[in-house]
Amino acid sequence: DSLDKATALREKQLAEFNAEEKDLLESISALKAAITVLSKHHGSSLLQMPRSHMLGVAATLQHEMSKHASLLEGVLSHSERRIVASFVQAPTDYFDAAPTFKQSY
Protein backbone atom coordinates (compact mmCIF):
# COMPACT_ATOMS: atom_id res chain seq x y z
CA ASP A 1 0.00 0.00 0.00
CA SER A 2 2.78 2.50 0.85
CA LEU A 3 4.59 1.57 -2.35
CA ASP A 4 1.43 2.40 -4.32
CA LYS A 5 1.11 5.74 -2.50
CA ALA A 6 4.77 6.56 -3.14
CA THR A 7 4.41 5.59 -6.81
CA ALA A 8 1.29 7.74 -7.17
CA LEU A 9 3.06 10.67 -5.52
CA ARG A 10 6.08 10.34 -7.83
CA GLU A 11 3.80 10.13 -10.87
CA LYS A 12 2.00 13.28 -9.75
CA GLN A 13 5.33 15.07 -9.17
CA LEU A 14 6.58 13.95 -12.59
CA ALA A 15 3.43 15.26 -14.29
CA GLU A 16 3.80 18.62 -12.48
CA PHE A 17 7.47 18.79 -13.44
CA ASN A 18 6.70 18.00 -17.09
CA ALA A 19 4.00 20.67 -17.20
CA GLU A 20 6.31 23.28 -15.64
CA GLU A 21 9.15 22.30 -17.98
CA LYS A 22 6.86 22.64 -21.01
CA ASP A 23 5.68 26.01 -19.75
CA LEU A 24 9.25 27.23 -19.24
CA LEU A 25 10.33 26.02 -22.69
CA GLU A 26 7.41 27.92 -24.23
CA SER A 27 8.44 31.01 -22.27
CA ILE A 28 12.01 30.67 -23.50
CA SER A 29 10.73 30.43 -27.07
CA ALA A 30 8.61 33.55 -26.60
CA LEU A 31 11.56 35.46 -25.18
CA LYS A 32 13.80 34.27 -28.03
CA ALA A 33 11.23 35.60 -30.48
CA ALA A 34 11.23 38.94 -28.66
CA ILE A 35 15.04 39.04 -28.80
CA THR A 36 14.92 38.28 -32.52
CA VAL A 37 12.56 41.19 -33.10
CA LEU A 38 14.76 43.49 -31.04
CA SER A 39 17.96 42.36 -32.76
CA LYS A 40 16.47 43.00 -36.19
CA HIS A 41 15.89 46.58 -35.10
CA HIS A 42 19.11 47.12 -33.16
CA GLY A 43 20.50 50.55 -32.47
CA SER A 44 18.81 53.62 -33.87
CA SER A 45 16.54 51.51 -36.04
CA LEU A 46 14.97 50.15 -32.84
CA LEU A 47 13.35 53.55 -32.49
CA GLN A 48 11.74 52.97 -35.89
CA MET A 49 10.32 49.58 -34.94
CA PRO A 50 6.61 49.34 -35.75
CA ARG A 51 4.44 50.18 -32.78
CA SER A 52 2.77 46.76 -32.91
CA HIS A 53 6.14 44.98 -32.58
CA MET A 54 7.15 47.15 -29.64
CA LEU A 55 3.80 46.51 -27.93
CA GLY A 56 4.15 42.79 -28.62
CA VAL A 57 7.61 42.70 -27.06
CA ALA A 58 6.33 44.58 -24.01
CA ALA A 59 3.31 42.30 -23.64
CA THR A 60 5.47 39.18 -23.91
CA LEU A 61 7.93 40.54 -21.40
CA GLN A 62 5.18 41.48 -18.93
CA HIS A 63 3.51 38.08 -19.32
CA GLU A 64 6.71 36.13 -18.76
CA MET A 65 7.80 38.31 -15.84
CA SER A 66 4.51 37.82 -14.00
CA LYS A 67 4.18 34.17 -14.95
CA HIS A 68 7.63 33.31 -13.60
CA ALA A 69 7.92 35.91 -10.84
CA SER A 70 8.87 33.32 -8.23
CA LEU A 71 11.62 31.90 -10.45
CA LEU A 72 12.99 35.36 -11.19
CA GLU A 73 13.03 36.35 -7.52
CA GLY A 74 16.61 37.17 -6.65
CA VAL A 75 17.70 36.96 -10.30
CA LEU A 76 16.80 40.52 -11.30
CA SER A 77 17.88 43.45 -9.17
CA HIS A 78 15.41 46.08 -8.01
CA SER A 79 16.73 48.54 -10.60
CA GLU A 80 16.43 45.94 -13.39
CA ARG A 81 12.82 45.30 -12.38
CA ARG A 82 12.15 49.06 -12.47
CA ILE A 83 13.64 49.27 -15.97
CA VAL A 84 11.46 46.41 -17.18
CA ALA A 85 8.38 47.96 -15.55
CA SER A 86 9.14 51.31 -17.17
CA PHE A 87 9.45 49.70 -20.60
CA VAL A 88 6.29 47.62 -20.14
CA GLN A 89 4.24 50.65 -19.02
CA ALA A 90 5.16 52.76 -22.05
CA PRO A 91 7.12 50.73 -24.62
CA THR A 92 6.76 53.21 -27.45
CA ASP A 93 7.89 56.12 -25.25
CA TYR A 94 10.66 54.25 -23.42
CA PHE A 95 13.44 55.04 -25.90
CA ASP A 96 12.32 58.66 -26.30
CA ALA A 97 12.75 59.44 -22.60
CA ALA A 98 15.90 61.26 -21.58
CA PRO A 99 18.08 58.90 -19.57
CA THR A 100 18.62 59.62 -15.94
CA PHE A 101 22.16 59.81 -14.59
CA LYS A 102 22.07 56.14 -13.55
CA GLN A 103 20.66 54.98 -16.92
CA SER A 104 23.44 56.67 -18.86
CA TYR A 105 26.06 54.30 -17.43
Side-chain angles (χ1 to χ4, degrees), residues 43-85:
S44 62
S45 64
L46 180 61
L47 301 176
Q48 299 167 4
M49 178 188 284
R51 178 179 171 82
S52 62
H53 288 177
M54 190 76 73
L55 294 174
V57 169
T60 299
L61 184 58
Q62 181 179 29
H63 174 76
E64 299 307 326
M65 291 286 292
S66 64
K67 185 177 188 179
H68 301 293
S70 63
L71 294 173
L72 295 171
E73 193 70 35
V75 175
L76 297 176
S77 70
H78 181 68
S79 61
E80 290 169 330
R81 287 181 186 272
R82 277 198 329 257
I83 290 168
V84 169

Side-chain angles (χ1 to χ4, degrees), residues 46-47 49 51 54-55 58 86-99 103:
L46 180 61
L47 301 176
M49 178 188 284
R51 178 179 171 82
M54 190 76 73
L55 294 174
S86 175
F87 174 72
V88 166
Q89 286 176 357
T92 56
D93 298 333
Y94 181 79
F95 295 101
D96 293 337
Q103 290 173 329

